Structures are given as structure tokens and as C-alpha cells.
Amino acid sequence: MTLAPFVILLLAAVVGYAINLQAARAIRAGGTRLHSLESFHALFSLLLILVPVLVLVLIWLAVEGAVIHWVLMASLPEGVLEGMGSGQIQLIGAEIRSIAGGRVFGTPEDWKLEAADRLVRYRAISSWLLVVVVVLLSAGLIAFARSRVAAEFRARQRVERITSGLMIFCATVAIFTTVGIVFALTFETIKFFQLVPFTEFLFGLNWEPQIPIREDQIAAEGAFGAVPVFLGTIVIASVALLVAVPVGLLTGIYLNEFAPRKLRAGVKPVLEILAGVPTVVYGFFAILVVAPALRTWGQSLGLDVASNTALAAGSVMGVMLIPFISSFADDALSAVPQSLRDGALALGATRAEMMLNVLFPAAIPGIVGGILLAVSRAIGETMIVVMAAGLIARMTINPLDSVTAVTVQIVTLLIGDTSFDDPKTLAAFALGMVLFVATLIINVFALRIVRKYREIYD
């Protein structure tokens, strides 16, 4: 039943489009000149039906669960929930939902079985009620849109107004989402710094965030010096960029300027496939292929190579970033006007000289912006680092050692049943805030470079 409202809405929008299109064509066939094209009259009906009904359906589905849960809890027998805390009440609600879904464990009480039956009925009633509301509202909007079809009706302006409103709404959602992320991180980070000194977090050299269970462990609040975590992130990102930047740049330059057309047509899809590989697959490749190969190579040279290394994680991450940098380089070089190429070649420069002295300097802003965005992608990567780099924070810059990164620690700290009011969990939000600020600075810096050094060619 969840798909039924969307299917009905889609059919109603198509029907409204067809009705208004046919009505506008009939008016024009009668010799009357329309203010707007027939297609705008049809689009007006489609948008008028699609937008408000879709918003209604999404809001309905968003609040449906909370409303049904409130009604269900209110319908439970008196005295059942007396003396229970919020956590116990939530567990009872989860158990009733499990029973309603057919997942019964043990022998539930009769009142829970009855509540599960009511929950199923409530959901069915809500689904059918939503279908009825969608049908009635869609029919009313179809009739209203059809009544607006007239020679003097400014359908184009109405369509543009609705489209503009949609774009403003989407931009507002993106802005408020970012603001929500910032506020969520900020509030939890403030709580963390109320428990752990700011200077210890930024400049401390010992990262032991677990809450000890024995008296002989590190202090009761743990140790939250994040310098080893930041250092591990920098080491892994540096290795990734050492692999990705030269290979990606040379690949982009070759494909843009030197590769035959058939070769370019074959290599570009391969790079796009490489860019679409899930990061967990890269992680498997790092831990099953690259890490063992590095250990074997290190043993042959007499080097001590850890089972999980920054070199393994960083090199595989660099392979992941190659399509990213190559695409930016290709786009930046393609944006340089063809007249500059032709002028350099006409003056006697070779293609290599033309690339080094004309195209590459002109494309540097876009290339540098792409590299900086790749840096932010590298320091924010999680799965490859979790699987191939390690979990222990060490003060080392040796890429053959096991290190950890900010994203790994965030994942580790949020695993388990630790409450959200102790330093261990709140440390994840502090690390997330540092990561957010770092990537924001890098992205802003990249945009400033692109805007400042971009040259406009006539």
C-alpha cells in the first residue's frame, strides 16, 4: 500500500497533463490564439497536481508512524505502563511492532497481541485513508487546472513561478540540512569540551578514548589527545595523493590531448566504472591483495611491515581518487579555447610544448580546485581506512606502520551501547566537527583559487 499513493499521483498527473493539452489544442483549433503554448497549459496541470499532492503524501508518511504510535500507546490497558521509564516504554513499542510484523519471540502477553492487531488495523486504515485523500485531492486539482485553460490564461508564467518555487525550496532544504548538521555537531562538541579540556584534545599525544573498567587503566575519563589521530589521517591522505595526483593528472592530460579518439572512447568508460566501485570493495582489495603484497615485499627487503598499514590504505585510496582527479583535469583542459591550441601550434610549438606552456597554465585553477576537493574526499574516507589501516592511534609518520584516522575513530566510538552523555561517545562528535571544519576550509580554499585565478578567454 505504500506505493499505491505514488502510483495514483503519477497517473493523475499524466491524466491532468493530457486533459489540459487536449483542451488547449481544441481552443487553438477553433481559431483562437493562446497566450501560452499548449505544452505550458499541460505542464501547469501536471505541476499543480504533482507538487502539492506529493508534499502531502511525504508529510503524511513522515508523521504517520508517530501518530499511530501515540494512538497505540494511549489504547493500552490502564496500569500497564505505570512506573515505566521512557526506555522501557520504547522497548514495549518495539516489541508490539515486531509482533505486528510477524516476528514473535516466546509467548507474549495477551494485551501485547491485541495491541499488535490494533497496530495492523491502524496502519491499514491510514493507508486506505491516504489513498482516498490522494484520489480526491488529485481529482479536484485536475478539475481546477482544466477550468483554467483559456486563451488569456498565462500558463507559462504560472509554470515558471511553480518551477522557481521548487528550486527555492530545494535550495532551502540544502541550506537547512547543512545548518542542522552544524548545530548538531556544535552542541555535542560543546558538551564534550565541558568534560575534556580543549587543549588536551587538540594538543594531547595520547588517544585512549575507552571508558576504563579497571582502576589500573588510564584515568577514569580516558585520554583524548587527538594528535595521533590527526597525524594518521594526514599520513594516509598524503600517500593517497602521492598516488592519485600524478597518475590522475597524466591520465587526464593524455586522454584530453594525446590519446586517439578510439582509445579515449574506450578508456573513459573504464575510468567511470572505477569511480563507481563501492569503497567497501576497495577495502577488500586493500586487505586481501595490497596488504599481503606489501608484507611480502617488506620481508624480502628485511623491513618490518605491519599487517595493516597506512601505505596499503593510502595507495588503494589513491587508486579510488584517480578517476576524480583525471575527470577534473580533463574538464579543465577542455575548457581552454581551441584558439589557444591552434595559435600555439601555428607558432611552431610542438604538442608537448603547447600543453606545458599554454594549456596547462590556463587550466591550473580547475586542476588545483579538483586536487583540493580530492584532498577533502581523502580525509573523509571511511571504509578503506577501517579495513586496511588499523584501529590503534600511533604517533608515527612511517607509512609501513599501522595507524588510525579520524573517520575510523568516529565509527569505533559510536559502536556499542555507550550513552550519549559520556566523553567516549561525545569524542566522536568532536572529531566530526574537526573533520567538518577541515573539509569546509579545503573546499572554500578550492573555490577561491578557481575564482581568483580563472581566466576568461574571448
Side-chain angles (χ1 to χ4, degrees):
M1 288 296 293
T2 304
L3 290 178
F6 294 99
V7 174
I8 294 172
L9 173 59
L10 181 61
L11 292 175
V14 172
V15 170
Y17 182 93
I19 290 175
N20 271 32
L21 183 63
Q22 185 64 32
R25 286 177 176 175
I27 293 175
R28 187 170 183 179
T32 304
R33 183 175 179 179
L34 294 171
H35 176 274
S36 303
L37 296 175
E38 300 98 319
S39 59
F40 284 109
H41 287 273
L43 281 175
F44 170 73
S45 177
L46 185 143
L47 293 175
L48 185 65
I49 298 166
L50 197 61
V51 174
V53 179
L54 181 60
V55 171
L56 173 66
V57 171
L58 294 178
I59 294 176
W60 188 296
L61 295 177
V63 303
E64 178 187 36
V67 173
I68 291 178
H69 176 77
W70 179 78
V71 174
L72 180 67
M73 291 295 105
S75 66
L76 295 179
E78 294 184 5
V80 170
L81 302 179
E82 286 185 5
M84 291 187 180
S86 60
Q88 292 176 307
I89 295 175
Q90 291 177 359
L91 289 176
I92 290 176
E95 185 179 357
I96 294 174
R97 288 192 295 271
S98 297
I99 297 172
R103 299 182 299 275
V104 181
F105 302 97
T107 306
E109 293 90 336
D110 292 337
W111 63 269
K112 290 182 180 179
L113 296 175
E114 295 174 359
D117 293 336
R118 287 197 301 274
L119 177 59
V120 173
R121 291 198 302 271
Y122 292 159
R123 288 174 176 174
I125 292 172
S126 176
S127 299
W128 282 110
L129 186 60
L130 178 59
V131 169
V132 172
V133 171
V134 168
V135 170
L136 294 177
L137 183 58
S138 299
L141 291 174
I142 289 174
F144 176 77
R146 173 61 184 86
S147 67
R148 302 293 291 171
V149 179
E152 67 278 3
F153 180 62
R154 300 177 179 269
R156 181 173 62 85
Q157 284 81 354
R158 295 297 181 91
V159 169
E160 292 175 351
R161 191 178 303 171
I162 295 174
T163 305
S164 177
L166 282 175
M167 291 188 289
I168 293 173
F169 172 76
C170 292
T172 304
V173 169
I175 293 171
F176 277 99
T177 301
T178 304
V179 172
I181 292 173
V182 171
F183 274 100
L185 288 176
T186 302
F187 290 146
E188 301 301 325
T189 303
I190 291 173
K191 293 180 183 178
F192 173 74
F193 287 131
Q194 289 174 349
L195 301 174
V196 176
F198 180 79
T199 54
E200 178 187 346
F201 176 74
L202 287 184
F203 306 109
L205 304 181
N206 189 14
W207 179 258
E208 294 286 346
Q210 75 276 5
I211 302 302
I213 58 176
R214 301 191 315 270
E215 294 182 358
D216 59 343
Q217 288 182 279
I218 299 177
E221 65 273 6
F224 296 93
V227 171
V229 180
F230 300 149
L231 186 60
T233 303
I234 293 172
V235 171
I236 295 172
S238 299
V239 173
L241 294 175
L242 286 175
V243 174
V245 172
V247 177
L249 282 181
L250 293 177
T251 302
I253 290 171
Y254 176 73
L255 292 178
N256 183 270
E257 195 61 31
F258 298 99
R261 185 171 298 177
K262 291 183 179 180
L263 180 62
R264 175 184 170 87
V267 172
K268 288 289 286 185
V270 174
L271 286 176
E272 293 173 358
I273 292 174
L274 192 63
V277 174
T279 56
V280 68
V281 177
Y282 283 109
F284 280 125
F285 178 71
I287 197 171
L288 296 178
V289 178
V290 178
L294 288 176
R295 285 198 303 271
T296 303
W297 168 77
Q299 291 173 358
S300 65
L301 297 178
L303 298 175
D304 185 16
V305 180
S307 58
N308 294 319
T309 63
L311 185 59
S315 57
V316 174
M317 190 188 301
V319 173
M320 181 191 69
L321 294 177
I322 286 174
F324 191 77
I325 296 179
S326 174
S327 177
F328 264 91
D330 191 9
D331 293 341
L333 292 171
S334 299
V336 179
Q338 182 65 33
S339 58
L340 292 180
R341 294 177 169 86
D342 297 338
L345 295 175
L347 291 173
T350 63
R351 297 187 69 181
E353 291 172 340
M354 178 264 295
M355 171 59 67
L356 291 175
N357 299 319
V358 178
L359 292 188
F360 194 75
I364 278 180
I367 293 174
V368 172
I371 292 174
L372 290 177
L373 292 176
V375 172
S376 64
R377 173 73 186 275
I379 65 176
E381 176 55 41
T382 303
M383 286 307 303
I384 298 175
V385 186
V386 168
M387 299 176 70
L391 298 175
I392 301 175
R394 289 190 175 93
M395 282 291 296
T396 178
I397 59 173
N398 184 2
L400 299 180
D401 284 340
S402 175
V403 297
T404 190
V406 172
T407 52
V408 176
Q409 290 303 308
I410 292 174
V411 172
T412 305
L413 293 170
L414 293 179
I415 292 176
D417 298 329
T418 309
S419 62
F420 272 77
D421 57 355
D422 65 49
K424 178 182 176 180
T425 305
L426 295 175
F429 293 95
L431 290 174
M433 175 60 76
V434 173
L435 192 65
F436 178 83
V437 172
T439 54
L440 178 63
I441 291 173
I442 292 172
N443 290 344
V444 171
F445 186 55
L447 292 175
R448 280 187 169 274
I449 288 179
V450 172
R451 291 176 181 175
K452 183 176 181 179
Y453 295 101
R454 179 188 291 135
E455 294 182 351
I456 301 176
Y457 298 94
D458 295 328

